[in-house]
Amino acid sequence: MTNQRQVILEEVKNLGSHPTADEIYERVRKRLPRISMGTVYRNLDTLASCGFISKLEPGQSQMRFDGKTNDHYHITCMRCGCIEDAPIAPLQDSLANLENALGNLTKHGIFGHKLEFIGLCSSCRKEDKKNSRAIANHSNEKKKSI
Ligand SMILES: [Zn+2]
Ligand SMILES: [Zn+2]
Protein backbone atom coordinates (compact mmCIF):
# COMPACT_ATOMS: atom_id res chain seq x y z
CA MET A 1 0.00 0.00 0.00
CA THR A 2 1.37 3.43 -0.90
CA ASN A 3 1.94 6.03 1.76
CA GLN A 4 -0.78 8.24 0.26
CA ARG A 5 -3.28 5.42 0.41
CA GLN A 6 -2.27 4.63 3.99
CA VAL A 7 -2.85 8.27 5.03
CA ILE A 8 -6.26 8.34 3.31
CA LEU A 9 -7.28 5.11 5.01
CA GLU A 10 -6.20 6.46 8.40
CA GLU A 11 -8.18 9.65 7.94
CA VAL A 12 -11.36 7.80 6.93
CA LYS A 13 -11.02 5.58 10.02
CA ASN A 14 -10.26 8.58 12.26
CA LEU A 15 -13.16 10.67 10.99
CA GLY A 16 -15.56 7.88 11.89
CA SER A 17 -18.55 9.97 10.81
CA HIS A 18 -19.25 8.81 7.24
CA PRO A 19 -17.31 11.65 5.64
CA THR A 20 -17.76 12.81 2.06
CA ALA A 21 -14.80 12.68 -0.32
CA ASP A 22 -14.42 16.46 0.11
CA GLU A 23 -14.16 16.16 3.88
CA ILE A 24 -11.58 13.40 3.53
CA TYR A 25 -9.63 15.48 1.03
CA GLU A 26 -9.54 18.44 3.46
CA ARG A 27 -8.12 16.23 6.20
CA VAL A 28 -5.63 14.41 3.99
CA ARG A 29 -4.37 17.69 2.55
CA LYS A 30 -3.24 18.79 6.00
CA ARG A 31 -0.86 15.85 6.06
CA LEU A 32 -0.03 15.67 2.35
CA PRO A 33 -0.31 19.25 1.09
CA ARG A 34 0.51 18.33 -2.50
CA ILE A 35 -2.10 15.62 -3.00
CA SER A 36 -4.83 16.28 -5.59
CA MET A 37 -8.55 15.71 -5.27
CA GLY A 38 -8.37 13.18 -8.13
CA THR A 39 -5.75 11.13 -6.31
CA VAL A 40 -7.88 11.10 -3.18
CA TYR A 41 -10.93 9.98 -5.19
CA ARG A 42 -9.02 7.23 -6.96
CA ASN A 43 -7.55 5.92 -3.72
CA LEU A 44 -10.94 5.98 -1.99
CA ASP A 45 -12.31 3.89 -4.84
CA THR A 46 -9.47 1.40 -4.59
CA LEU A 47 -9.75 1.19 -0.80
CA ALA A 48 -13.49 0.58 -1.13
CA SER A 49 -13.13 -2.09 -3.79
CA CYS A 50 -10.50 -3.87 -1.70
CA GLY A 51 -12.87 -3.81 1.28
CA PHE A 52 -10.78 -1.59 3.56
CA ILE A 53 -13.59 0.96 3.76
CA SER A 54 -17.20 1.00 2.54
CA LYS A 55 -18.70 3.33 0.04
CA LEU A 56 -22.13 4.62 0.91
CA GLU A 57 -24.43 5.89 -1.77
CA PRO A 58 -27.34 7.53 -0.04
CA GLY A 59 -28.97 8.48 -3.32
CA GLN A 60 -29.98 12.07 -2.77
CA SER A 61 -26.73 13.40 -1.38
CA GLN A 62 -23.01 13.16 -1.97
CA MET A 63 -21.24 9.84 -1.78
CA ARG A 64 -19.84 9.08 1.65
CA PHE A 65 -17.30 6.66 3.03
CA ASP A 66 -17.28 4.52 6.13
CA GLY A 67 -14.16 3.31 7.93
CA LYS A 68 -16.22 0.59 9.61
CA THR A 69 -16.62 -2.39 7.34
CA ASN A 70 -18.47 -4.70 9.71
CA ASP A 71 -22.18 -5.21 9.11
CA HIS A 72 -24.17 -2.31 10.44
CA TYR A 73 -27.21 -0.25 9.53
CA HIS A 74 -27.35 3.45 8.95
CA ILE A 75 -29.77 6.25 9.66
CA THR A 76 -29.72 8.87 6.93
CA CYS A 77 -31.07 12.34 7.55
CA MET A 78 -33.61 13.06 4.84
CA ARG A 79 -32.81 16.75 4.94
CA CYS A 80 -29.04 17.24 5.21
CA GLY A 81 -27.98 13.73 4.17
CA CYS A 82 -25.73 13.11 7.18
CA ILE A 83 -25.36 9.46 8.14
CA GLU A 84 -25.19 7.92 11.58
CA ASP A 85 -24.68 4.31 12.60
CA ALA A 86 -27.92 2.76 13.81
CA PRO A 87 -27.30 1.50 17.36
CA ILE A 88 -28.88 -1.91 16.71
CA ALA A 89 -27.30 -5.20 15.75
CA PRO A 90 -27.94 -6.46 12.22
CA LEU A 91 -31.22 -8.35 12.16
CA GLN A 92 -29.57 -11.65 11.27
CA ASP A 93 -32.39 -14.09 11.95
CA SER A 94 -35.47 -12.33 10.68
CA LEU A 95 -33.75 -11.01 7.58
CA ALA A 96 -32.05 -14.32 6.83
CA ASN A 97 -35.55 -15.82 6.84
CA LEU A 98 -36.73 -13.11 4.50
CA GLU A 99 -33.78 -13.70 2.21
CA ASN A 100 -34.55 -17.42 2.11
CA ALA A 101 -38.20 -16.75 1.45
CA LEU A 102 -37.32 -14.41 -1.41
CA GLY A 103 -34.93 -16.93 -2.83
CA ASN A 104 -37.75 -19.47 -2.85
CA LEU A 105 -40.34 -17.08 -4.26
CA THR A 106 -38.24 -15.77 -7.13
CA LYS A 107 -35.67 -17.10 -9.53
CA HIS A 108 -33.06 -14.86 -7.96
CA GLY A 109 -30.21 -16.13 -5.92
CA ILE A 110 -30.33 -13.82 -2.90
CA PHE A 111 -26.98 -12.88 -1.40
CA GLY A 112 -27.91 -10.21 1.07
CA HIS A 113 -29.91 -7.10 1.72
CA LYS A 114 -29.56 -3.39 2.18
CA LEU A 115 -31.59 -1.66 4.83
CA GLU A 116 -31.43 2.05 5.38
CA PHE A 117 -33.31 3.97 8.02
CA ILE A 118 -34.48 7.46 7.14
CA GLY A 119 -34.97 10.18 9.71
CA LEU A 120 -34.30 13.75 10.69
CA CYS A 121 -31.02 14.32 12.54
CA SER A 122 -30.88 16.30 15.78
CA SER A 123 -29.52 19.48 14.20
CA CYS A 124 -32.19 19.43 11.48
CA ARG A 125 -34.84 18.90 14.15
CA LYS A 126 -33.50 21.90 16.04
CA GLU A 127 -33.73 23.95 12.83
CA ASP A 128 -37.32 22.77 12.43
CA LYS A 129 -38.23 23.89 15.92
CA LYS A 130 -36.66 27.29 15.32
CA ASN A 131 -38.55 27.68 12.06
CA SER A 132 -41.89 26.63 13.44
CA ARG A 133 -41.39 29.09 16.30
CA ALA A 134 -40.63 31.81 13.77
CA ILE A 135 -43.80 30.94 11.87
CA ALA A 136 -45.81 30.94 15.09
CA ASN A 137 -44.40 34.36 16.06
CA HIS A 138 -45.14 35.67 12.64
CA SER A 139 -48.79 34.61 12.73
CA ASN A 140 -49.15 36.06 16.24
CA GLU A 141 -47.94 39.38 14.97
CA LYS A 142 -50.45 39.23 12.18
CA LYS A 143 -53.26 38.60 14.62
CA LYS A 144 -52.15 41.56 16.70
CA SER A 145 -52.16 43.88 13.76
CA ILE A 146 -55.69 42.82 12.83
ZN1 LIG B 1 -29.93 16.56 9.12
ZN1 LIG C 1 -21.42 3.38 9.39
Side-chain angles (χ1 to χ4, degrees):
M1 198 185 277
T2 62
N3 179 46
Q4 282 179 335
R5 195 165 293 164
Q6 187 62 44
V7 169
I8 293 167
L9 178 60
E10 277 168 24
E11 288 304 328
V12 176
K13 300 251 184 211
N14 289 343
L15 276 160
S17 56
H18 313 98
T20 61
D22 291 351
E23 285 165 347
I24 297 163
Y25 174 58
E26 287 306 318
R27 291 283 293 255
V28 170
R29 218 171 45 161
K30 291 196 180 122
R31 292 172 61 184
L32 305 170
R34 292 219 302 256
I35 200 163
S36 74
M37 186 77 197
T39 306
V40 172
Y41 266 106
R42 267 196 308 281
N43 278 292
L44 284 170
D45 259 339
T46 311
L47 286 167
S49 58
C50 297
F52 289 109
I53 58 174
S54 341
K55 206 180 194 177
L56 310 174
E57 293 168 83
Q60 12 123 290
S61 62
Q62 245 190 321
M63 188 181 297
R64 289 167 182 272
F65 295 88
D66 194 346
K68 267 202 227 162
T69 50
N70 62 326
D71 253 358
H72 64 280
Y73 296 127
H74 288 128
I75 313 173
T76 302
C77 176
M78 56 193 182
R79 187 158 310 154
C80 68
C82 75
I83 297 177
E84 259 177 59
D85 288 341
I88 53 165
L91 309 165
Q92 292 305 4
D93 293 346
S94 43
L95 282 163
N97 284 341
L98 205 57
E99 285 172 13
N100 284 338
L102 260 183
N104 293 332
L105 285 169
T106 66
K107 291 197 171 69
H108 266 78
I110 305 293
F111 295 101
H113 65 271
K114 282 186 183 174
L115 182 60
E116 186 189 15
F117 296 93
I118 312 291
L120 209 54
C121 74
S122 52
S123 56
C124 286
R125 284 177 61 179
K126 259 186 226 148
E127 273 305 300
D128 252 18
K129 274 194 196 144
K130 248 193 262 163
N131 290 341
S132 59
R133 228 177 283 142
I135 292 165
N137 286 340
H138 188 67
S139 56
N140 282 341
E141 276 162 28
K142 257 194 200 159
K143 269 180 216 147
K144 269 180 228 155
S145 66
I146 294 164

